[in-house]
């Protein structure tokens, strides 16, 4: 059932298969949505406020009057989830608020802090090297997504968590369902359950046998589960979240970043000649590509004024990271890709207490993967001749399904 | 001209994202045990003040604040 005036509202997210993969929203879409706060219709026929300015996005995501709990009535969902179909959500702190969220997140902050990520850089480098060997052996031409972008972050997060990479087909397929807006609800439910069962078995094995290898699941089993601080089912939910967040996002960034760099050969060459500048380049890639393109949804739990608009308790709001990252008030000539700009203020990792906990890891993976690619494949170019590149249009995390390259 | 400042961090708010440590490592650190912010020095050296202000902007949790450093003759603590 659709209420008549609803159809006058623009639909978010827009579908536009002609858009260049490197452009989050084209000029027409930007006019339609750059309100700065616009009321939109969602695929579920609910309405929500789109928040697009950098300052407003930061204010909204840092404001305690917005909830990330998608089971609350009125939450701006992008796909229909039948009531009662959310399944077991224990441990999934990305969708929790306040003290409940902080309690679980804080069990992980030390694991992902910069100092510890530096310690695993040799492992990342080794993983990248091996993936590049595979790419070399497979082509030219060869698919960079299948040989490098997907396996690198996946192998790294598996190693950190203590999940056998041999099972990657199983969990990659399932995590993809979870972030696909077009996946049928029954399939989503089944895949969540299967992922939880899978990780449950891994966690149980550690708890039961007292087997304690040097990985995150073992450490949490020992330091938190054995001490009674954390339930096994919570640890399972945290593991599911890390496994999904840890490979889908970085994988898509590696693929799209490569496409972008191949269109800017001088930048690509600079990566090899001046790898010291790679950190700045990585931030600019994150800003420019803003892969979480559908934005971050929240529910207002109190009346809050954002960008001059009163958002009332019970209304949904979506922080559009890609538009905030192209806000002229913060970034000069925002539509230009400029690795020498100061891009650190981007919000590609979100903002507020949910800001990506894996960002030091993601940054290191991206930097090492791109620098090594440029070093070992200086003559890399796209081997896709005609037509559209296969993109993930219905995914919450945008990216390429394949990128054929030659050298 | 950035005047002398005093930095405060609120560990109850900190979510351990570590942006401050990247931005001004001379001033901020993260606790080995819990990953939450630690202040290396409350009175940042002159050359770091701009980066400390950027860290305030970048901190996702609003856990860092700077106040003008009181002149030496007012040694009272607020
Ligand atoms: C370039 C790659 C990545 C991007 C663009 C990205 C983006 C994001 C964004 C936008 C959020 C905020 C979600 C929200 O507020 O609703 C987030 C949260 C999160 N990310 Fe990432 N992420 C990336 C890589 C990673 C990696 C490698 C990990 C693995 C450890 C990870 C783990 C998480 C977790 C656990 C959260 C939830 C944090 C919380 O709710 O407190 N991410 N990420
Ligand atoms: S930037 Fe803010 S939230 Fe992140 S570690 Fe520093 S104080 Fe904590």
């Amino acid at each position: 059932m659709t209420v008549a005036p609803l159809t006058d509202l623009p639909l978010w997210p827009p579908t536009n298969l002609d858009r260049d993969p490197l452009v989050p929203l084209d000029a027409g879409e930007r006019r339609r949505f750059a309100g700065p706060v616009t009321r939109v219709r969602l695929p579920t026929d609910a309405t929500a406020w789109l928040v697009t300015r950098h300052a407003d996005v930061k204010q909204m995501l840092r404001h305690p009057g917005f909830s990330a709990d998608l089971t609350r009535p009125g939450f701006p969902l992008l796909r229909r989830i039948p009531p009662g179909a959310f399944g077991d959500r224990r441990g999934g702190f990305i969708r929790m608020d306040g003290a409940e969220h902080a309690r679980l997140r804080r069990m992980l902050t030390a694991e992902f802090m910069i100092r510890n990520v530096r310690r695993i850089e040799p492992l990342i480098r080794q993983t990248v090297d091996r993936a590049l060997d595979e790419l070399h052996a497979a082509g030219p031409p060869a698919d960079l997504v299948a040989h490098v972008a997907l396996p690198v972050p996946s192998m790294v997060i598996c190693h950190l968590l203590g999940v056998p990479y041999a099972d990657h087909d199983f969990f990659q397929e399932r995590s993809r369902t979870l972030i696909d807006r077009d996946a049928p609800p029954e399939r989503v439910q089944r895949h969540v359950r299967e992922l939880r069962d899978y990780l449950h078995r891994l966690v149980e094995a550690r708890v039961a046998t007292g087997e304690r290898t040097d990985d995150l699941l073992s450490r949490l089993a020992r330091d938190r589960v054995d001490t009674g601080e954390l339930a096994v089912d919570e640890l399972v939910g945290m593991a599911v979240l890390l496994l999904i967040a840890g490979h889908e996002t970085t994988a898509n960034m590696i693929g799209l970043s490569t496409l972008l760099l191949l269109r800017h050969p001088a930048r690509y060459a600079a990566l090899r000649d001046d790898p010291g500048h790679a950190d700045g380049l990585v931030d600019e890639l994150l800003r420019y590509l803003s892969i979480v393109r559908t934005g971050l949804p929240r529910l207002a739990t109190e009346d809050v004024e954002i960008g001059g608009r009163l958002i009332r308790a019970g209304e949904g709001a979506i922080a559009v990271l890609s538009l905030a990252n192209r806000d002229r008030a913060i970034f000069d000539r925002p539509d230009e890709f400029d690795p020498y700009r100061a891009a650190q203020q981007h919000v590609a990792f979100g903002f507020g207490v949910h800001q990506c906990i894996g960002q030091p890891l993601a940054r290191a993976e991206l930097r090492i993967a791109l620098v090594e690619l440029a070093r070992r494949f200086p003559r890399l170019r796209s081997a896709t001749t005609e037509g559209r590149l296969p993109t993930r249009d219905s995914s919450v995390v945008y990216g390429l399904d394949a990128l054929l390259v030659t050298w | 001209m950035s005047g002398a400042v005093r930095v405060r961090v609120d560990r109850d708010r900190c979510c351990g994202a570590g942006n401050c440590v990247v931005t001004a490592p001379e001033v901020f650190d993260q606790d080995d045990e819990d990953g939450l912010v630690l202040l290396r020095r409350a009175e940042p050296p002159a050359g770091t003040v701009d980066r400390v202000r950027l860290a305030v902007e970048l901190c996702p949790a609003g856990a860092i604040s700077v106040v003008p450093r009181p002149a030496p003759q007012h040694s009272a603590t607020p």
Side-chain angles (χ1 to χ4, degrees):
Chain A
M1 193 189 73
T2 319
V3 186
L6 208 59
T7 51
D8 294 343
L9 296 176
L11 177 69
W12 178 266
T15 17
N16 178 351
L17 299 179
D18 298 328
R19 206 191 294 123
D20 184 280
L22 300 181
V23 177
L25 292 170
D26 67 25
E29 291 164 332
R30 275 160 73 164
R31 270 195 301 280
R32 209 175 323 145
F33 295 116
V37 181
T38 314
R39 203 172 171 82
V40 294
R41 173 170 54 101
L42 304 178
T44 56
D45 282 345
T47 63
W49 296 102
L50 275 196
V51 176
T52 59
R53 283 195 302 217
H54 189 267
D56 298 342
V57 161
K58 282 174 71 175
Q59 187 205 343
M60 172 185 152
L61 292 176
R62 198 144 88 175
H63 200 292
F66 286 98
S67 168
D69 178 355
L70 86 185
T71 61
R72 286 179 186 248
F75 191 91
L77 299 168
L78 295 180
R79 65 176 167 212
R80 235 178 260 283
I81 305 181
F86 291 103
D88 188 345
R89 301 181 49 256
R90 281 174 291 176
F93 62 90
I94 194 167
R95 292 293 172 214
M96 294 177 186
D97 301 322
E100 209 189 359
H101 164 262
R103 173 181 157 252
L104 298 180
R105 175 163 172 135
R106 286 186 173 185
M107 295 185 188
L108 294 173
T109 38
E111 292 281 345
F112 290 99
M113 66 183 179
I114 294 141
R115 195 176 316 140
N116 287 334
V117 169
R118 272 192 204 123
R119 234 169 259 156
I120 59 153
E121 279 199 13
L123 165 83
I124 302 176
R125 205 170 293 281
Q126 206 179 56
T127 311
V128 166
D129 274 345
R130 260 191 244 137
L132 293 178
D133 291 343
E134 297 270 323
L135 181 73
H136 197 268
D143 180 6
L144 182 115
V145 171
H147 291 290
V148 183
L150 266 179
V152 166
S154 201
M155 283 179 180
V156 172
I157 195 70
C158 281
H159 186 97
L160 292 183
L161 287 177
V163 168
Y165 177 72
D167 296 333
H168 69 276
D169 283 342
F170 169 82
F171 56 75
Q172 265 166 15
E173 188 194 338
R174 275 147 195 82
S175 33
R176 241 174 238 195
T177 307
L178 267 52
I179 58 171
D180 183 356
R181 291 185 283 116
D182 285 349
E186 317 75 65
R187 186 176 156 92
V188 176
Q189 262 177 293
R190 179 162 45 85
H191 279 187
V192 176
R193 205 172 41 242
E194 287 169 359
L195 262 181
R196 285 196 78 104
D197 289 347
Y198 169 76
L199 282 154
H200 205 279
R201 283 194 296 277
L202 292 181
V203 168
E204 275 298 349
R206 286 173 168 81
V207 173
T209 61
E211 179 200 326
R212 295 291 185 266
T213 37
D214 185 27
D215 56 58
L216 198 151
L217 291 185
S218 298
R219 277 194 294 279
L220 286 177
R222 182 190 60 216
D223 300 345
R224 311 286 185 172
V225 178
D226 289 356
T227 56
E229 261 178 281
L230 185 68
V232 166
D233 286 298
E234 290 178 313
L235 178 51
V236 168
M238 289 161 86
V240 170
L241 171 59
L242 290 172
L243 191 60
I244 297 173
H247 75 266
E248 285 294 338
T249 43
T250 316
N252 288 315
M253 268 305 294
I254 295 175
L256 280 177
S257 299
T258 307
L259 176 66
L260 173 67
L261 288 168
L262 293 184
R263 290 195 196 166
H264 292 83
R267 304 291 186 216
Y268 185 68
L271 203 49
R272 183 192 57 217
D273 302 333
D274 177 19
H277 192 67
D279 282 323
L281 176 97
V282 163
D283 267 316
E284 174 65 350
L285 288 166
L286 287 158
R287 179 194 77 85
Y288 193 84
L289 296 167
S290 297
I291 57 169
V292 184
R293 290 202 180 162
T294 49
L296 302 181
R298 298 289 192 266
L299 181 75
T301 54
E302 57 183 82
D303 295 356
V304 186
E305 194 182 308
I306 302 279
R309 196 53 94 158
L310 186 67
I311 299 181
R312 296 201 176 273
E315 291 182 334
I318 296 177
V320 185
L321 308 179
S322 64
L323 287 174
N325 280 341
R326 294 195 183 208
D327 184 339
R328 283 190 171 70
I330 304 292
F331 305 105
D332 256 359
R333 287 194 284 218
D335 294 328
E336 255 169 52
F337 173 69
D338 173 9
Y340 294 97
R341 77 163 79 235
Q344 313 98 300
Q345 295 237 38
H346 71 74
V347 288
F349 287 121
F351 205 69
V353 294
H354 289 282
Q355 191 184 58
C356 185
I357 198 173
Q359 52 181 302
L361 176 61
R363 283 199 167 92
E365 289 176 337
L366 271 169
R367 170 171 45 80
I368 295 171
L370 296 174
V371 169
E372 290 305 306
L373 184 69
R375 208 175 56 75
R376 287 190 44 192
F377 295 83
R379 285 141 51 86
L380 196 76
R381 34 191 211 287
S382 169
T384 306
T385 41
E386 282 299 304
R388 284 185 70 231
L389 286 162
T391 51
R392 302 205 181 170
D393 298 291
S394 64
S395 176
V396 169
V397 185
Y398 186 78
L400 301 174
D401 270 327
L403 177 62
L404 269 193
V405 291
T406 185
W407 53 89
Chain B
M1 189 199 87
S2 298
V5 297
R6 169 163 293 163
V7 188
R8 286 217 196 93
V9 293
D10 181 346
R11 286 173 52 88
D12 287 337
R13 284 181 173 224
C14 173
C15 61
N19 298 330
C20 53
V21 185
V22 181
T23 312
E26 309 90 329
V27 180
F28 304 100
D29 198 356
Q30 270 170 296
D31 191 317
D32 264 327
E33 291 294 312
D34 59 17
L36 301 184
V37 64
L38 288 178
L39 210 48
R40 286 170 175 268
R41 49 221 310 189
E43 302 196 339
T48 63
V49 173
D50 285 347
R51 280 184 291 121
V52 168
R53 289 187 191 282
L54 178 61
V56 174
E57 283 296 306
L58 294 180
C59 173
I64 309 172
S65 53
V66 298
V67 291
R69 197 184 297 172
Q73 61 266 40
H74 309 286
S75 57
T77 38

